[in-house]
Amino acid sequence: MNINGKSRRQATISSMDFYRRVPKDLTEATTLGAFMSVCAIGIMCVLFVAESMAFLNSQIATEIALDDNVDPLIEVNFNVTMFELKCDLVSVDVWDVLGTNLQNVTKDIEKWQVNEDGVRQNFSGRNKKEKQVVQEQHRETLEQLHENGVHAIPLSNSEFPDYVKDNAIVVVDFFAPWCIWCQRLQPTWEKFAEEVEQRKMPVKIVTVDCVQEAQLCRDMKVMAFPTLRWFQDGKAELPDYRSDRTVAALVQYTERKLMISAKFQDWESKNKDPNVNQKMKSMMENSKVEPPGCQVSGSLLVNRVPGNFHILARSVNHNLNAAMTNLTHRVNHLSFGTQPKHLPRSKSRVLKHIPDSLKKFYPIDHVMYKSNQYHQAFHHYIKVVSTRFKVGSDFTLYQFIEQSQLVFYDATSIPEAKFSYDLSPMSVLVEKEERKWYDYLTSLFAIIGGTFTTLGLIDATLFKVFKPKKL
């Protein structure tokens, strides 16, 4: 009874066998079957290796979502070279739709004087508020001062070259009649010329009207009115005079320049070594050259709203000459938020595995924007997109795309290099897409089963086709 019961239980369990065995006597081995078996093993191995590599090598996936960044401010990092704008005239202004309007931002802004090729020459210092010079007030009008004769001689374009060559030292006031600072300076300049004559200084004081003699002022590259320039032996000595506009200050400046010149000439006459003399002359000449351009760099903390920052010529002591303001510039660097190069090493390594299409953090670095004529400048329109990376660590950077357009100004407006920015409400989410282990195992089983079944069907079909027919 027990034996029969045990046999029935075994029979019941055996009936559930999915993998029933065919007796070996009922199977037949063939050459075709062996060939198909080798093919099956080869295909399984290839697919196994490919699937394992796909499992081990994760992929980068992107997703678009609303930007949930709640920071009220964003940092703008910039480094721009202005090729024909002197550092003392460069101003960085900020404006946005919330009403922010900052002129000549000074915090975290540095300036370098650069030559015609944009190479740094001298450190101009951190940007600072321009000091307003002292303007002397006079009771007499210019007409009253001219009653005893004109002491500040007006020169025309045709007279100017010969005059500065024939006179050892000439101090020139390049002015425009409409300039308010020039109007205030005129009595002071006339009294200064009279004082120089009374003291019998070897200096000629002259004026040039840049409205009447526009070509001369363009040749002299007069960018602001009034421009007070010292000429010695027919050559301009830069930088221009920028201190107080009083008779006493101007006389003191003239005496100091004459003293420096006299000391050099006295030293030159005593020194008999021609090589040393030549070296000193070269040093003196170089000290009289003022680099024409300015590299301005720094960072701005601005509101996360549409706005712009712009670089232009501005002075609290001058009226700018719109006809001589050239805004040719090169963007050495422009980025938003934390710069990738300042990230910790662990996060920098993550970026190496990100496609270049997702790393447009500074697409206009080292791009030149040349203005071939005056009264024009490039404006830059920038769309900033927040990009959150969740690959190993979680951090946010900012990509942007930019469009530039050459804008034309009227003859009286001062051009500006404008960088308008707008933050997108959408954010790009970059994640590392990894496969689950059970997905990997399922794929392996599918490869083994699918390959075995498919090649088994092919083998059966070929066996029937090529099986010898019985007579």
Side-chain angles (χ1 to χ4, degrees), residues 225-242:
F225 302 124
T227 292
L228 309 180
R229 187 167 295 172
W230 182 281
F231 286 81
Q232 188 162 340
D233 299 326
K235 296 181 181 179
E237 291 193 3
L238 300 175
D240 298 324
Y241 178 79
R242 298 187 181 94

Side-chain angles (χ1 to χ4, degrees), residues 30 48 55 96 149 161 173 291 293 297 352 403:
T30 63
F48 172 78
F55 173 71
D96 66 37
D173 171 20
S297 62
K352 293 180 180 179
Q403 293 288 334

Side-chain angles (χ1 to χ4, degrees), residues 2-166:
N2 292 336
I3 296 175
N4 293 334
K6 184 177 180 181
S7 300
R8 283 196 298 270
R9 284 195 299 272
Q10 289 179 346
T12 302
I13 294 173
S14 299
S15 65
M16 299 174 61
D17 185 7
F18 293 163
Y19 307 99
R20 301 193 178 205
R21 304 291 186 271
V22 178
K24 192 172 183 180
D25 295 339
L26 300 179
T27 60
E28 180 183 0
T30 63
T31 304
L32 177 61
F35 175 75
M36 298 303 292
S37 298
V38 172
C39 290
I41 294 173
I43 293 173
M44 288 180 188
C45 291
V46 171
L47 293 178
F48 172 78
V49 173
E51 188 67 19
S52 298
M53 291 179 63
F55 173 71
L56 295 175
N57 296 328
S58 57
Q59 295 182 341
I60 300 299
T62 59
E63 182 182 347
I64 303 297
L66 285 173
D67 189 1
D68 58 357
N69 195 323
V70 295
D71 293 337
L73 303 173
I74 184 173
E75 188 176 26
V76 181
N77 311 292
F78 68 95
N79 185 322
V80 180
T81 297
M82 312 300 295
F83 285 86
E84 296 190 30
L85 194 58
K86 295 179 180 179
C87 282
D88 59 332
L89 297 178
V90 170
S91 175
V92 180
D93 299 353
V94 177
W95 176 92
D96 66 37
V97 296
L98 293 182
T100 301
N101 189 4
L102 303 176
Q103 295 185 352
N104 195 24
V105 178
T106 58
K107 186 178 180 181
D108 299 326
I109 305 293
E110 292 183 348
K111 295 177 180 177
W112 282 82
Q113 293 179 327
V114 298
N115 62 15
E116 295 83 355
D117 299 322
V119 179
R120 286 181 176 184
Q121 300 295 303
N122 307 310
F123 181 56
S124 185
R126 286 188 172 272
N127 195 27
K128 55 187 177 182
K129 294 293 183 183
E130 187 178 5
K131 180 183 176 182
Q132 194 160 2
V133 301
V134 177
Q135 298 276 348
E136 192 168 11
Q137 301 293 328
H138 301 278
R139 293 182 179 180
E140 306 92 333
T141 64
L142 185 62
E143 290 74 15
Q144 291 173 333
L145 293 173
H146 283 169
E147 289 178 357
N148 64 343
V150 178
H151 302 281
I153 304 169
L155 296 180
S156 65
N157 189 10
S158 58
E159 298 169 336
F160 184 84
D162 292 335
Y163 192 90
V164 296
K165 287 180 181 178
D166 295 340

Side-chain angles (χ1 to χ4, degrees), residues 165-215:
K165 287 180 181 178
D166 295 340
N167 295 278
I169 299 175
V170 181
V171 186
V172 186
D173 171 20
F174 294 96
F175 74 97
W178 50 263
C179 166
I180 184 63
W181 304 108
C182 302
Q183 295 169 12
R184 294 175 182 177
L185 177 64
Q186 281 181 336
T188 300
W189 195 252
E190 181 65 22
K191 280 193 172 184
F192 165 57
E194 189 173 358
E195 182 72 16
V196 167
E197 287 184 6
Q198 290 177 357
R199 296 192 180 201
K200 297 182 179 180
M201 293 182 177
V203 179
K204 298 295 183 181
I205 309 301
V206 302
T207 62
V208 173
D209 184 343
C210 286
V211 173
Q212 296 293 330
E213 312 298 336
Q215 186 58 49

Side-chain angles (χ1 to χ4, degrees), residues 234-355:
K235 296 181 181 179
E237 291 193 3
L238 300 175
D240 298 324
Y241 178 79
R242 298 187 181 94
S243 298
D244 292 341
R245 296 168 187 164
T246 65
V247 174
L250 289 167
V251 170
Q252 186 179 10
Y253 165 75
T254 304
E255 290 175 341
R256 186 169 63 253
K257 293 283 288 184
L258 289 172
M259 187 179 300
I260 293 173
S261 178
K263 285 184 177 180
F264 175 73
Q265 290 175 0
D266 182 60
W267 180 89
E268 186 180 20
S269 62
K270 293 179 180 179
N271 196 312
K272 304 302 181 180
D273 190 341
N275 294 327
V276 175
N277 284 342
Q278 186 61 35
K279 185 177 180 180
M280 286 300 298
K281 283 184 178 180
S282 178
M283 291 176 62
M284 290 289 290
E285 290 297 325
N286 291 334
S287 66
K288 298 174 185 178
V289 177
E290 185 179 27
C294 183
Q295 183 184 103
V296 55
S297 62
S299 60
L300 304 168
L301 206 58
V302 300
N303 295 317
R304 290 177 60 91
V305 297
N308 68 71
F309 74 94
H310 41 277
I311 302 174
L312 72 164
R314 176 181 281 119
S315 174
V316 299
N317 300 309
H318 300 82
N319 286 118
L320 276 300
N321 183 4
M324 284 299 297
T325 306
N326 188 313
L327 269 290
T328 294
H329 61 278
R330 180 180 65 218
V331 179
N332 303 309
H333 176 75
L334 179 64
S335 65
F336 294 81
T338 303
Q339 299 184 52
K341 63 182 179 181
H342 294 160
L343 289 173
R345 184 177 299 178
S346 59
K347 296 179 180 179
S348 298
R349 284 199 299 264
V350 169
L351 289 178
K352 293 180 180 179
H353 304 287
I354 303 298

